[in-house]
Structure formats: C-alpha cells, structure tokens
Amino acid sequence: MTISFEAQLASAKWTFSTRRVDRTMAAGMDTAFAKARPGDLILAHVSEIGQHRRVQLSSGRHSDIYPGDAVVLACGARYAPDQFEGFAEILPEGADLLAGGGCIGRMVARNERIKSATRLIPAGRLLRADGAALNLDEFSVRVSARGDRIPVIAVFGTAMNSGKTVATAQLALGLRRAGWRVAALKGTGTGAFGDFNEYQDTGAHVVADFTDAGMVSTYREPLERIRAGIDRLLAHAEDAGCEIAVLEIADGLFQRETAQLLADPAFQRRISGLVFACGDAVAAAGGVAEMRRRGVVPDALTGMLSCSPMASAEAREATGIPVLGKNDLSDPAEANAFALRAGAEWWSAA
Amino acid sequence: MEREFETPTADSIVERISIATQAGPLAAFVIRPRRMAPSRPLVVLHGISRNARALVRHFRAEAEHSGRLIVLPHFTMAHWPHFQRPGHPARADQALVELLNRLAVRFPDCAGRVDLVGHSGGAQLAHRTAMLYPQRIARLSLVAAGWYCLPDMSMPYPYGLGESDARGAALWIRRKQACLAAYLGLEIRVYVGTRDTLRDPALRVSPALDERQGRNRHDRARSYVEAVRAAAFSQGKVADIALIELPGCGHDFEQAITEVGLARIVTETPDMTLVLAAAG
C-alpha cells in the first residue's frame, strides 16, 4: 500500500522547532539533501534509538519515539558540551537527532558520558508548491516595531546548566510581579521547549526564542543573522506592548556565538542590564574578568553558586559584584530596581 | 479574589476583597463611587491600630465627593503582625503591589500611577514602598510617620541608606538607590499634628534616631522633608515636597479627619473640577 505524502505528514510527529510552520504549505519533497541548509524542514524516520528516546512535540509535550516513527524536524547545527556538537548536514544514508526539540544534522562530537545520537533516515526535504525548500525562516514572527526601544537585561553564563534559564525566568517573574509588561526571550541556542515553557510559567507577557526568528539553532550562524534575530524578537516584544525584556544568551562565554555577541559593540550598546550565572566562585571570577576584558560588567551574579552562602561570599569578595539567588530575582523590589536602572518606562502611567 | 459586599446604598459601594499574594493573603476595602471619575485611584494605609474599617466610613464620603476609587488595604494582625517595614519578617510592599496588579484587571486606572496615603505605621510602609516602586505612585501623602528611611547616607539602614549590619541591608540599600532618582521626583506631602509631640510607647527611640531625625513625630517629619529636599538638590532637582502642620492635632488619624478635614485634603486633586465635570 502506498501512503500519500499528505498522509505521511499528517501522521508524522512535528517537533517543537516546527511549531510555527503552516503545514499546508508543504506541497512535496525531494531528496536533494546535499542542498539542505539550516532551517530546511526534513521528514525522517527513526532508525535506531540512542541518546534521545523521545522528541518534543509542537504541542508542547514529549512523545516517546520508536523505530519507524515519522518525524518532521529542521536541519540545523548544535553546540551542547553536555551532549553533542553537530553540523547542519544531512547524509542520505542517515542523520542524527541532535536535539529533542527537533534538530536533525550530523553529529561530529559527543560528551563521553552520553550515548550516541538517535539515528534517523531522512525521507525527504519538504518543498513548497513552487519547488523551493520549506524553511523555518519563512515562518518567523511578523513585526512592525524596530525593536530598538525596549530596555534589555541580558543573562549570560559560564556554561550550560549554570543557571541562566532559572535566572531569566525568575527575573521575568519578578518584573511581572512589579507590574511591568515583560518579555522573556532566548536569543541563542538550539530549539527546545524546556526553557520556553519555563519562561511561560512565569506569566511573562511575551515568550519567544530564536525559532520564532526563523532559526532552529544559532550555532554557526553569522553574527549579523543572530543580531537580526534578536532584534526581531525585541520588535515582537515591543509590538505586544512590553516595557522590558529579559534575554538569555546560551552556553558559556567562550562559545563561538556568545563570545561574538559579548564582544560586539552594537550588542553591548543595546543591553541595559547584565546578569551573569555561574556555577562556582572561581568560574565567577574568571567570567567577570573575561567580561571586563570585553568592556562589560555584570550588575549581579547568580546561578548555582547562589545556592551556597560560602560560594556567594567568595564570589562577592573576588568580583565586588552582588550575588542574587532565584528568590531575589523573582522579588518584585529587586526586579523593579533592575527595571529602573535599565531605564524602563512605565507606560501605564502615561 | 474573594469578595464580600457591604449593603449597597444609594451612594458608593464598598466591597471587601481578599487576594492571595506571594507575601501572604491581603484583604482590602474598595470604595467605588456612584460616579467614577477618570482620576487616579487613592490607596489609604492604616497605622498599627489597623482601623481600616473605621477609615472606610471616613473615606466613603470622599470617594463620592471626588469620584475617585479608594482602596484601603487591611493588614490584619493574624496575617501581618509586622507590616510597616518591608524586610525579612513581612513583605507588605509585595502584597500592596500585587493588590494593585489584581485590581487593575477590573479598574484599569490601578495599572497607572496611584496616590498613596499612609498614617503612622502606614506612612512608614507608604514611603518605603514608594522608595521601591516609585513609578507606580503619583502623590505620596505621609501622615505622622514614627520615623523614616532618609534618602541619604546620613544614617545607617534602615534609618537611611548608609551601610549597616542590619540583616539584608546591602540588598535593600541597593534596591532603594536604584529607584532614588524617581522617588525624589514624586509629589510628596507630609502631614503632622502640631501636638504630635509625645514620645509614646509606640514611638521608636534611640539616641541616634533622636539626634538625626528628632525626638518626636513632629520634628521627624520636618527632618524628613529637609532630607528629601537636600537629596533632590544634590541630584540637581527641586523636590516637590511640602510639610503641612495640622493645627491642634495629636497622633490620631480620625481626629485629624474630623477636625481638620484631612481625608478631604489627601483625596482632593488640583484638577478636581475638571475630573468631576468629565464624570458628568
């Protein structure tokens, strides 16, 4: 029995990174995988379960996956020191599930503590009716504002899992409690709903990430494109009437795109506040020194180190910068101080 | 939000609401005049006598007269044994801000700046809340606070913004410093009775406090006004602050309301005629 293209798509598991895609625009597919570029949509079948035993669906829940399952993902690269490094390349004989949020590519390195990537066999690259590849870029949020007005508090960290997402979410919560219309944004990384959902749970008025700006992953993307993506997210926040944004930048300070952003004078001018998430005091001291070398100084340290009064004291002593725990960041008084320091304007007062 | 209504009259409607906040449950009386004017809401904070219900009686007529929504939070002893000073034991500031956020769903003007009035312990909470969230306040009316957090470094926290060993002092000083410019830009009116000069048991006394702020509420009000003026001046601004003495009044808020019309004074706005005309 031949299954129609439409039926294949309808029964496939559409991953989180494809959530903005208008599925009716998929008119066919080809197997020109060599031409695949980041963001192209790929229909693939699970061939061998490895590290990822499930995918994140566009509906916001996980789905277990089984060999033979059809999945729609986006071609992309990934940089995750705790898991994989991978490139946005699709080989016809097989590809790797680089991220459960829906990133397919070729794994080039993995952390030795984790399994090999789940293997996928690509079935086709989805095409529009005009024969062009269907790409996430077409489905980015439409904006009218310029995104150059809203104050931005950036959240950087020493590494993956240093506490950036918690810091971003808790600061957004504190700002919302203080009465601000707040956007919680993720500027770089690889598409996944964990951070997105954590932001949403705070009641932030706008939640968006780089997939809303048309990228499944920002790894190996040109700085100009990443900056344009961030501007688009900020414009989206302005369109929605937000008065302030909290922007998480993924990974550690030495990660390629993070380092580029940190060193970028235009980005430095664009941010009005800076929070730095660190795992311990030594990381804090090193990170702050690196930031100072780049000409920026965090307003506060946070992250895993804030769980320990001793580590916090060490970090404070070494850097001269206050350490805030997650309860401090979600405190409306603290968040309000961030907002006023950042020059946020209380539009409701107008 | 739980609600409980007083018997409606031909005039304003008084509603008692209860909300859950991250700092604890908070009750409040909301006085809605028959004709709501497009004007800033007024929030009135009681002192340690917690006489919110009595104040409702006094401010009900003012709501009707002015057309303003008047909100009287009630910090009950059961839930708020300490409410005057945001800090470790209690975060009445959080509850107050959350109350405004919640009321804004029904009364959009609560999302804008409000006028905040506080008496005694309520004045302590009022000015400290204003130091933390100045953008949410238009006019700050302080009636006979026992002591103040001065907006300068002349005294250690919590009496001022100088360094201190008090718990969490660095955190609170930093927060207030971040908001100081906006706080000093507020319209502030400080009221105190000419006879509010007793050193009663409720008045905090210490040699340093007596020396820098004064020996009684009357003198401390004056010191606070001077400190605000000086702090604003140091930032190149002229403070919009005034000290208003209430002739013959002691420390009793209700006495000041009945004898010198304090409720009317703090409720009226300069553009009252225009506001009432707009309300029809």
Side-chain angles (χ1 to χ4, degrees), chain A residues 16 19 58-61 165 168-170 172-173 176 182-185 192-209 212 236:
Chain A
F16 180 72
R19 69 189 184 281
S58 55
S59 61
R61 74 168 181 87
T165 300
T168 304
Q170 294 302 305
L173 175 62
R176 199 261 295 157
V182 59
L185 309 173
F193 66 39
D195 297 356
F196 192 93
N197 289 348
E198 194 166 333
Y199 296 171
Q200 278 203 317
D201 291 347
T202 67
H205 299 84
V206 165
V207 172
D209 68 9
D212 294 296
H236 176 49

PDB file of all heavy atoms in Angstrom, chain A residues 16 19 58-61 165 168-170 172-173 176 182-185 192-209 212 236:
ATOM      1  N   PHE A  16       8.963  20.470  18.152  1.00  0.00           N
ATOM      2  CA  PHE A  16       8.758  21.815  18.693  1.00  0.00           C
ATOM      3  C   PHE A  16       9.330  22.900  17.772  1.00  0.00           C
ATOM      4  O   PHE A  16       8.713  23.957  17.596  1.00  0.00           O
ATOM      5  CB  PHE A  16       9.424  21.896  20.068  1.00  0.00           C
ATOM      6  CG  PHE A  16       9.284  23.232  20.725  1.00  0.00           C
ATOM      7  CD1 PHE A  16       8.063  23.651  21.229  1.00  0.00           C
ATOM      8  CD2 PHE A  16      10.374  24.086  20.843  1.00  0.00           C
ATOM      9  CE1 PHE A  16       7.927  24.884  21.837  1.00  0.00           C
ATOM     10  CE2 PHE A  16      10.250  25.322  21.454  1.00  0.00           C
ATOM     11  CZ  PHE A  16       9.024  25.718  21.943  1.00  0.00           C
ATOM     12  N   ARG A  19       7.013  24.477  15.198  1.00  0.00           N
ATOM     13  CA  ARG A  19       5.689  24.852  15.696  1.00  0.00           C
ATOM     14  C   ARG A  19       5.048  26.004  14.927  1.00  0.00           C
ATOM     15  O   ARG A  19       3.832  26.165  14.937  1.00  0.00           O
ATOM     16  CB  ARG A  19       5.741  25.180  17.185  1.00  0.00           C
ATOM     17  CG  ARG A  19       6.498  26.459  17.538  1.00  0.00           C
ATOM     18  CD  ARG A  19       6.686  26.582  19.039  1.00  0.00           C
ATOM     19  NE  ARG A  19       7.320  27.834  19.400  1.00  0.00           N
ATOM     20  CZ  ARG A  19       8.635  28.053  19.289  1.00  0.00           C
ATOM     21  NH1 ARG A  19       9.420  27.109  18.807  1.00  0.00           N
ATOM     22  NH2 ARG A  19       9.141  29.217  19.644  1.00  0.00           N
ATOM     23  N   SER A  58       5.361  19.894  18.822  1.00  0.00           N
ATOM     24  CA  SER A  58       4.970  21.301  18.677  1.00  0.00           C
ATOM     25  C   SER A  58       3.837  21.659  19.639  1.00  0.00           C
ATOM     26  O   SER A  58       3.635  22.828  19.950  1.00  0.00           O
ATOM     27  CB  SER A  58       4.554  21.590  17.245  1.00  0.00           C
ATOM     28  OG  SER A  58       3.540  20.700  16.853  1.00  0.00           O
ATOM     29  N   SER A  59       3.123  20.648  20.119  1.00  0.00           N
ATOM     30  CA  SER A  59       2.029  20.912  21.069  1.00  0.00           C
ATOM     31  C   SER A  59       2.558  21.231  22.463  1.00  0.00           C
ATOM     32  O   SER A  59       1.794  21.648  23.332  1.00  0.00           O
ATOM     33  CB  SER A  59       1.111  19.690  21.147  1.00  0.00           C
ATOM     34  OG  SER A  59       1.850  18.565  21.609  1.00  0.00           O
ATOM     35  N   GLY A  60       3.853  21.026  22.694  1.00  0.00           N
ATOM     36  CA  GLY A  60       4.428  21.363  23.998  1.00  0.00           C
ATOM     37  C   GLY A  60       4.599  20.174  24.914  1.00  0.00           C
ATOM     38  O   GLY A  60       4.935  20.350  26.088  1.00  0.00           O
ATOM     39  N   ARG A  61       4.357  18.954  24.422  1.00  0.00           N
ATOM     40  CA  ARG A  61       4.591  17.776  25.273  1.00  0.00           C
ATOM     41  C   ARG A  61       5.613  16.862  24.605  1.00  0.00           C
ATOM     42  O   ARG A  61       5.894  16.977  23.412  1.00  0.00           O
ATOM     43  CB  ARG A  61       3.292  17.019  25.538  1.00  0.00           C
ATOM     44  CG  ARG A  61       2.759  16.220  24.362  1.00  0.00           C
ATOM     45  CD  ARG A  61       1.651  15.272  24.804  1.00  0.00           C
ATOM     46  NE  ARG A  61       1.157  14.475  23.683  1.00  0.00           N
ATOM     47  CZ  ARG A  61       1.700  13.322  23.293  1.00  0.00           C
ATOM     48  NH1 ARG A  61       2.753  12.838  23.909  1.00  0.00           N
ATOM     49  NH2 ARG A  61       1.192  12.650  22.275  1.00  0.00           N
ATOM     50  N   THR A 165      18.777  29.896  32.620  1.00  0.00           N
ATOM     51  CA  THR A 165      17.338  29.845  32.350  1.00  0.00           C
ATOM     52  C   THR A 165      16.539  30.157  33.607  1.00  0.00           C
ATOM     53  O   THR A 165      15.557  30.903  33.566  1.00  0.00           O
ATOM     54  CB  THR A 165      16.951  28.466  31.789  1.00  0.00           C
ATOM     55  OG1 THR A 165      17.684  28.265  30.583  1.00  0.00           O
ATOM     56  CG2 THR A 165      15.468  28.386  31.507  1.00  0.00           C
ATOM     57  N   THR A 168      16.746  33.866  34.096  1.00  0.00           N
ATOM     58  CA  THR A 168      15.894  34.586  33.143  1.00  0.00           C
ATOM     59  C   THR A 168      14.433  34.495  33.568  1.00  0.00           C
ATOM     60  O   THR A 168      13.713  35.506  33.602  1.00  0.00           O
ATOM     61  CB  THR A 168      16.064  33.989  31.729  1.00  0.00           C
ATOM     62  OG1 THR A 168      17.452  34.025  31.385  1.00  0.00           O
ATOM     63  CG2 THR A 168      15.265  34.756  30.703  1.00  0.00           C
ATOM     64  N   ALA A 169      14.010  33.286  33.890  1.00  0.00           N
ATOM     65  CA  ALA A 169      12.603  33.087  34.259  1.00  0.00           C
ATOM     66  C   ALA A 169      12.272  33.818  35.557  1.00  0.00           C
ATOM     67  O   ALA A 169      11.231  34.491  35.655  1.00  0.00           O
ATOM     68  CB  ALA A 169      12.320  31.592  34.399  1.00  0.00           C
ATOM     69  N   GLN A 170      13.156  33.714  36.539  1.00  0.00           N
ATOM     70  CA  GLN A 170      12.843  34.330  37.836  1.00  0.00           C
ATOM     71  C   GLN A 170      12.860  35.856  37.764  1.00  0.00           C
ATOM     72  O   GLN A 170      12.055  36.528  38.404  1.00  0.00           O
ATOM     73  CB  GLN A 170      13.818  33.832  38.908  1.00  0.00           C
ATOM     74  CG  GLN A 170      13.680  32.345  39.204  1.00  0.00           C
ATOM     75  CD  GLN A 170      12.276  31.968  39.657  1.00  0.00           C
ATOM     76  OE1 GLN A 170      11.751  32.537  40.607  1.00  0.00           O
ATOM     77  NE2 GLN A 170      11.648  31.020  38.972  1.00  0.00           N
ATOM     78  N   ALA A 172      12.097  37.535  35.050  1.00  0.00           N
ATOM     79  CA  ALA A 172      10.848  37.861  34.339  1.00  0.00           C
ATOM     80  C   ALA A 172       9.670  37.809  35.312  1.00  0.00           C
ATOM     81  O   ALA A 172       8.773  38.667  35.269  1.00  0.00           O
ATOM     82  CB  ALA A 172      10.638  36.891  33.183  1.00  0.00           C
ATOM     83  N   LEU A 173       9.688  36.817  36.195  1.00  0.00           N
ATOM     84  CA  LEU A 173       8.617  36.702  37.196  1.00  0.00           C
ATOM     85  C   LEU A 173       8.609  37.923  38.117  1.00  0.00           C
ATOM     86  O   LEU A 173       7.553  38.504  38.401  1.00  0.00           O
ATOM     87  CB  LEU A 173       8.821  35.417  38.011  1.00  0.00           C
ATOM     88  CG  LEU A 173       7.879  35.177  39.183  1.00  0.00           C
ATOM     89  CD1 LEU A 173       6.430  35.067  38.715  1.00  0.00           C
ATOM     90  CD2 LEU A 173       8.276  33.896  39.929  1.00  0.00           C
ATOM     91  N   ARG A 176       7.266  40.915  36.279  1.00  0.00           N
ATOM     92  CA  ARG A 176       5.806  40.808  36.111  1.00  0.00           C
ATOM     93  C   ARG A 176       5.102  41.116  37.430  1.00  0.00           C
ATOM     94  O   ARG A 176       4.099  41.828  37.479  1.00  0.00           O
ATOM     95  CB  ARG A 176       5.459  39.394  35.612  1.00  0.00           C
ATOM     96  CG  ARG A 176       4.094  39.278  34.971  1.00  0.00           C
ATOM     97  CD  ARG A 176       3.054  38.734  35.925  1.00  0.00           C
ATOM     98  NE  ARG A 176       3.310  37.381  36.320  1.00  0.00           N
ATOM     99  CZ  ARG A 176       2.828  36.845  37.441  1.00  0.00           C
ATOM    100  NH1 ARG A 176       2.116  37.563  38.278  1.00  0.00           N
ATOM    101  NH2 ARG A 176       3.095  35.590  37.758  1.00  0.00           N
ATOM    102  N   VAL A 182       6.423  42.340  30.526  1.00  0.00           N
ATOM    103  CA  VAL A 182       7.778  41.811  30.338  1.00  0.00           C
ATOM    104  C   VAL A 182       7.808  40.744  29.245  1.00  0.00           C
ATOM    105  O   VAL A 182       6.872  39.964  29.092  1.00  0.00           O
ATOM    106  CB  VAL A 182       8.315  41.256  31.684  1.00  0.00           C
ATOM    107  CG1 VAL A 182       7.437  40.168  32.243  1.00  0.00           C
ATOM    108  CG2 VAL A 182       9.737  40.766  31.554  1.00  0.00           C
ATOM    109  N   ALA A 183       8.907  40.734  28.507  1.00  0.00           N
ATOM    110  CA  ALA A 183       9.162  39.683  27.527  1.00  0.00           C
ATOM    111  C   ALA A 183      10.315  38.831  28.029  1.00  0.00           C
ATOM    112  O   ALA A 183      11.334  39.361  28.456  1.00  0.00           O
ATOM    113  CB  ALA A 183       9.513  40.292  26.175  1.00  0.00           C
ATOM    114  N   ALA A 184      10.140  37.523  27.984  1.00  0.00           N
ATOM    115  CA  ALA A 184      11.223  36.589  28.307  1.00  0.00           C
ATOM    116  C   ALA A 184      11.660  35.955  26.998  1.00  0.00           C
ATOM    117  O   ALA A 184      10.862  35.281  26.336  1.00  0.00           O
ATOM    118  CB  ALA A 184      10.747  35.534  29.300  1.00  0.00           C
ATOM    119  N   LEU A 185      12.904  36.196  26.635  1.00  0.00           N
ATOM    120  CA  LEU A 185      13.378  35.809  25.300  1.00  0.00           C
ATOM    121  C   LEU A 185      14.642  34.979  25.403  1.00  0.00           C
ATOM    122  O   LEU A 185      15.471  35.193  26.283  1.00  0.00           O
ATOM    123  CB  LEU A 185      13.677  37.074  24.471  1.00  0.00           C
ATOM    124  CG  LEU A 185      12.578  38.133  24.402  1.00  0.00           C
ATOM    125  CD1 LEU A 185      13.094  39.391  23.705  1.00  0.00           C
ATOM    126  CD2 LEU A 185      11.356  37.593  23.664  1.00  0.00           C
ATOM    127  N   ALA A 192      14.213  24.172  21.795  1.00  0.00           N
ATOM    128  CA  ALA A 192      13.696  23.173  22.722  1.00  0.00           C
ATOM    129  C   ALA A 192      12.652  23.845  23.593  1.00  0.00           C
ATOM    130  O   ALA A 192      12.741  25.047  23.841  1.00  0.00           O
ATOM    131  CB  ALA A 192      14.819  22.619  23.607  1.00  0.00           C
ATOM    132  N   PHE A 193      11.680  23.040  24.045  1.00  0.00           N
ATOM    133  CA  PHE A 193      10.601  23.711  24.780  1.00  0.00           C
ATOM    134  C   PHE A 193      10.848  23.841  26.279  1.00  0.00           C
ATOM    135  O   PHE A 193      10.066  24.467  26.974  1.00  0.00           O
ATOM    136  CB  PHE A 193       9.237  23.103  24.479  1.00  0.00           C
ATOM    137  CG  PHE A 193       8.963  21.687  24.923  1.00  0.00           C
ATOM    138  CD1 PHE A 193       9.414  21.187  26.123  1.00  0.00           C
ATOM    139  CD2 PHE A 193       8.171  20.863  24.117  1.00  0.00           C
ATOM    140  CE1 PHE A 193       9.114  19.897  26.522  1.00  0.00           C
ATOM    141  CE2 PHE A 193       7.862  19.572  24.505  1.00  0.00           C
ATOM    142  CZ  PHE A 193       8.331  19.084  25.722  1.00  0.00           C
ATOM    143  N   GLY A 194      11.924  23.251  26.785  1.00  0.00           N
ATOM    144  CA  GLY A 194      12.163  23.331  28.224  1.00  0.00           C
ATOM    145  C   GLY A 194      12.266  24.762  28.713  1.00  0.00           C
ATOM    146  O   GLY A 194      11.533  25.185  29.613  1.00  0.00           O
ATOM    147  N   ASP A 195      13.165  25.504  28.114  1.00  0.00           N
ATOM    148  CA  ASP A 195      13.350  26.903  28.529  1.00  0.00           C
ATOM    149  C   ASP A 195      12.108  27.727  28.216  1.00  0.00           C
ATOM    150  O   ASP A 195      11.669  28.557  29.016  1.00  0.00           O
ATOM    151  CB  ASP A 195      14.559  27.516  27.813  1.00  0.00           C
ATOM    152  CG  ASP A 195      15.854  26.812  28.190  1.00  0.00           C
ATOM    153  OD1 ASP A 195      15.816  25.918  29.056  1.00  0.00           O
ATOM    154  OD2 ASP A 195      16.897  27.147  27.602  1.00  0.00           O
ATOM    155  N   PHE A 196      11.577  27.484  27.033  1.00  0.00           N
ATOM    156  CA  PHE A 196      10.391  28.221  26.574  1.00  0.00           C
ATOM    157  C   PHE A 196       9.247  28.049  27.590  1.00  0.00           C
ATOM    158  O   PHE A 196       8.618  29.022  28.019  1.00  0.00           O
ATOM    159  CB  PHE A 196       9.987  27.666  25.203  1.00  0.00           C
ATOM    160  CG  PHE A 196       8.977  28.476  24.460  1.00  0.00           C
ATOM    161  CD1 PHE A 196       9.372  29.445  23.544  1.00  0.00           C
ATOM    162  CD2 PHE A 196       7.624  28.242  24.642  1.00  0.00           C
ATOM    163  CE1 PHE A 196       8.429  30.176  22.839  1.00  0.00           C
ATOM    164  CE2 PHE A 196       6.685  28.968  23.944  1.00  0.00           C
ATOM    165  CZ  PHE A 196       7.087  29.937  23.030  1.00  0.00           C
ATOM    166  N   ASN A 197       8.998  26.807  27.984  1.00  0.00           N
ATOM    167  CA  ASN A 197       7.911  26.544  28.937  1.00  0.00           C
ATOM    168  C   ASN A 197       8.216  27.157  30.302  1.00  0.00           C
ATOM    169  O   ASN A 197       7.309  27.651  30.982  1.00  0.00           O
ATOM    170  CB  ASN A 197       7.681  25.043  29.076  1.00  0.00           C
ATOM    171  CG  ASN A 197       7.043  24.451  27.833  1.00  0.00           C
ATOM    172  OD1 ASN A 197       6.570  25.179  26.953  1.00  0.00           O
ATOM    173  ND2 ASN A 197       7.038  23.134  27.733  1.00  0.00           N
ATOM    174  N   GLU A 198       9.490  27.099  30.687  1.00  0.00           N
ATOM    175  CA  GLU A 198       9.851  27.680  31.991  1.00  0.00           C
ATOM    176  C   GLU A 198       9.593  29.189  31.991  1.00  0.00           C
ATOM    177  O   GLU A 198       9.134  29.749  32.991  1.00  0.00           O
ATOM    178  CB  GLU A 198      11.328  27.385  32.302  1.00  0.00           C
ATOM    179  CG  GLU A 198      11.690  27.640  33.750  1.00  0.00           C
ATOM    180  CD  GLU A 198      13.045  27.031  34.138  1.00  0.00           C
ATOM    181  OE1 GLU A 198      13.460  26.031  33.522  1.00  0.00           O
ATOM    182  OE2 GLU A 198      13.679  27.583  35.058  1.00  0.00           O
ATOM    183  N   TYR A 199       9.868  29.819  30.872  1.00  0.00           N
ATOM    184  CA  TYR A 199       9.567  31.259  30.762  1.00  0.00           C
ATOM    185  C   TYR A 199       8.046  31.473  30.844  1.00  0.00           C
ATOM    186  O   TYR A 199       7.566  32.385  31.518  1.00  0.00           O
ATOM    187  CB  TYR A 199      10.029  31.828  29.425  1.00  0.00           C
ATOM    188  CG  TYR A 199      11.510  31.827  29.138  1.00  0.00           C
ATOM    189  CD1 TYR A 199      11.949  32.170  27.860  1.00  0.00           C
ATOM    190  CD2 TYR A 199      12.463  31.517  30.094  1.00  0.00           C
ATOM    191  CE1 TYR A 199      13.296  32.189  27.541  1.00  0.00           C
ATOM    192  CE2 TYR A 199      13.813  31.527  29.786  1.00  0.00           C
ATOM    193  CZ  TYR A 199      14.228  31.860  28.515  1.00  0.00           C
ATOM    194  OH  TYR A 199      15.553  31.874  28.199  1.00  0.00           O
ATOM    195  N   GLN A 200       7.325  30.640  30.104  1.00  0.00           N
ATOM    196  CA  GLN A 200       5.867  30.839  30.039  1.00  0.00           C
ATOM    197  C   GLN A 200       5.226  30.684  31.406  1.00  0.00           C
ATOM    198  O   GLN A 200       4.258  31.373  31.725  1.00  0.00           O
ATOM    199  CB  GLN A 200       5.246  29.857  29.065  1.00  0.00           C
ATOM    200  CG  GLN A 200       5.356  30.326  27.618  1.00  0.00           C
ATOM    201  CD  GLN A 200       4.314  29.701  26.718  1.00  0.00           C
ATOM    202  OE1 GLN A 200       4.071  28.501  26.826  1.00  0.00           O
ATOM    203  NE2 GLN A 200       3.727  30.482  25.843  1.00  0.00           N
ATOM    204  N   ASP A 201       5.766  29.775  32.202  1.00  0.00           N
ATOM    205  CA  ASP A 201       5.183  29.521  33.520  1.00  0.00           C
ATOM    206  C   ASP A 201       5.254  30.750  34.429  1.00  0.00           C
ATOM    207  O   ASP A 201       4.547  30.809  35.431  1.00  0.00           O
ATOM    208  CB  ASP A 201       5.901  28.340  34.203  1.00  0.00           C
ATOM    209  CG  ASP A 201       5.596  27.026  33.501  1.00  0.00           C
ATOM    210  OD1 ASP A 201       4.665  26.987  32.673  1.00  0.00           O
ATOM    211  OD2 ASP A 201       6.298  26.024  33.774  1.00  0.00           O
ATOM    212  N   THR A 202       6.101  31.699  34.108  1.00  0.00           N
ATOM    213  CA  THR A 202       6.223  32.898  34.958  1.00  0.00           C
ATOM    214  C   THR A 202       5.129  33.924  34.675  1.00  0.00           C
ATOM    215  O   THR A 202       5.011  34.901  35.400  1.00  0.00           O
ATOM    216  CB  THR A 202       7.570  33.615  34.716  1.00  0.00           C
ATOM    217  OG1 THR A 202       7.574  34.160  33.385  1.00  0.00           O
ATOM    218  CG2 THR A 202       8.739  32.664  34.906  1.00  0.00           C
ATOM    219  N   GLY A 203       4.366  33.699  33.611  1.00  0.00           N
ATOM    220  CA  GLY A 203       3.343  34.678  33.261  1.00  0.00           C
ATOM    221  C   GLY A 203       3.893  35.857  32.476  1.00  0.00           C
ATOM    222  O   GLY A 203       3.216  36.889  32.355  1.00  0.00           O
ATOM    223  N   ALA A 204       5.094  35.717  31.958  1.00  0.00           N
ATOM    224  CA  ALA A 204       5.652  36.786  31.112  1.00  0.00           C
ATOM    225  C   ALA A 204       4.685  37.055  29.956  1.00  0.00           C
ATOM    226  O   ALA A 204       4.052  36.128  29.438  1.00  0.00           O
ATOM    227  CB  ALA A 204       7.018  36.373  30.573  1.00  0.00           C
ATOM    228  N   HIS A 205       4.571  38.316  29.583  1.00  0.00           N
ATOM    229  CA  HIS A 205       3.560  38.686  28.585  1.00  0.00           C
ATOM    230  C   HIS A 205       3.929  38.198  27.195  1.00  0.00           C
ATOM    231  O   HIS A 205       3.052  37.890  26.390  1.00  0.00           O
ATOM    232  CB  HIS A 205       3.365  40.203  28.595  1.00  0.00           C
ATOM    233  CG  HIS A 205       2.878  40.705  29.918  1.00  0.00           C
ATOM    234  ND1 HIS A 205       3.736  40.972  30.965  1.00  0.00           N
ATOM    235  CD2 HIS A 205       1.638  40.931  30.381  1.00  0.00           C
ATOM    236  CE1 HIS A 205       3.030  41.360  32.012  1.00  0.00           C
ATOM    237  NE2 HIS A 205       1.764  41.345  31.687  1.00  0.00           N
ATOM    238  N   VAL A 206       5.210  38.159  26.896  1.00  0.00           N
ATOM    239  CA  VAL A 206       5.674  37.612  25.617  1.00  0.00           C
ATOM    240  C   VAL A 206       6.793  36.628  25.907  1.00  0.00           C
ATOM    241  O   VAL A 206       7.695  36.915  26.691  1.00  0.00           O
ATOM    242  CB  VAL A 206       6.191  38.740  24.688  1.00  0.00           C
ATOM    243  CG1 VAL A 206       7.009  38.160  23.542  1.00  0.00           C
ATOM    244  CG2 VAL A 206       5.028  39.543  24.131  1.00  0.00           C
ATOM    245  N   VAL A 207       6.703  35.461  25.305  1.00  0.00           N
ATOM    246  CA  VAL A 207       7.770  34.461  25.405  1.00  0.00           C
ATOM    247  C   VAL A 207       8.135  34.068  23.980  1.00  0.00           C
ATOM    248  O   VAL A 207       7.254  33.759  23.166  1.00  0.00           O
ATOM    249  CB  VAL A 207       7.307  33.221  26.198  1.00  0.00           C
ATOM    250  CG1 VAL A 207       8.339  32.110  26.123  1.00  0.00           C
ATOM    251  CG2 VAL A 207       7.034  33.599  27.651  1.00  0.00           C
ATOM    252  N   ALA A 208       9.416  34.124  23.674  1.00  0.00           N
ATOM    253  CA  ALA A 208       9.834  33.780  22.306  1.00  0.00           C
ATOM    254  C   ALA A 208      11.297  33.369  22.325  1.00  0.00           C
ATOM    255  O   ALA A 208      12.042  33.721  23.253  1.00  0.00           O
ATOM    256  CB  ALA A 208       9.631  34.970  21.371  1.00  0.00           C
ATOM    257  N   ASP A 209      11.671  32.609  21.314  1.00  0.00           N
ATOM    258  CA  ASP A 209      13.086  32.278  21.171  1.00  0.00           C
ATOM    259  C   ASP A 209      13.483  32.408  19.702  1.00  0.00           C
ATOM    260  O   ASP A 209      12.665  32.786  18.857  1.00  0.00           O
ATOM    261  CB  ASP A 209      13.410  30.902  21.763  1.00  0.00           C
ATOM    262  CG  ASP A 209      12.784  29.754  20.973  1.00  0.00           C
ATOM    263  OD1 ASP A 209      12.249  29.994  19.873  1.00  0.00           O
ATOM    264  OD2 ASP A 209      12.840  28.615  21.451  1.00  0.00           O
ATOM    265  N   ASP A 212      11.407  31.506  16.819  1.00  0.00           N
ATOM    266  CA  ASP A 212      10.402  32.479  16.393  1.00  0.00           C
ATOM    267  C   ASP A 212      11.007  33.499  15.436  1.00  0.00           C
ATOM    268  O   ASP A 212      10.286  34.259  14.787  1.00  0.00           O
ATOM    269  CB  ASP A 212       9.802  33.192  17.607  1.00  0.00           C
ATOM    270  CG  ASP A 212       8.998  32.246  18.479  1.00  0.00           C
ATOM    271  OD1 ASP A 212       7.987  31.721  17.992  1.00  0.00           O
ATOM    272  OD2 ASP A 212       9.400  32.011  19.630  1.00  0.00           O
ATOM    273  N   HIS A 236       9.122  42.149  18.291  1.00  0.00           N
ATOM    274  CA  HIS A 236       7.907  41.396  18.628  1.00  0.00           C
ATOM    275  C   HIS A 236       7.425  41.781  20.032  1.00  0.00           C
ATOM    276  O   HIS A 236       6.216  41.992  20.258  1.00  0.00           O
ATOM    277  CB  HIS A 236       8.255  39.903  18.544  1.00  0.00           C
ATOM    278  CG  HIS A 236       7.167  38.976  18.951  1.00  0.00           C
ATOM    279  ND1 HIS A 236       5.871  39.068  18.476  1.00  0.00           N
ATOM    280  CD2 HIS A 236       7.161  37.903  19.806  1.00  0.00           C
ATOM    281  CE1 HIS A 236       5.133  38.101  19.015  1.00  0.00           C
ATOM    282  NE2 HIS A 236       5.893  37.400  19.825  1.00  0.00           N
TER     283      HIS A 236
END
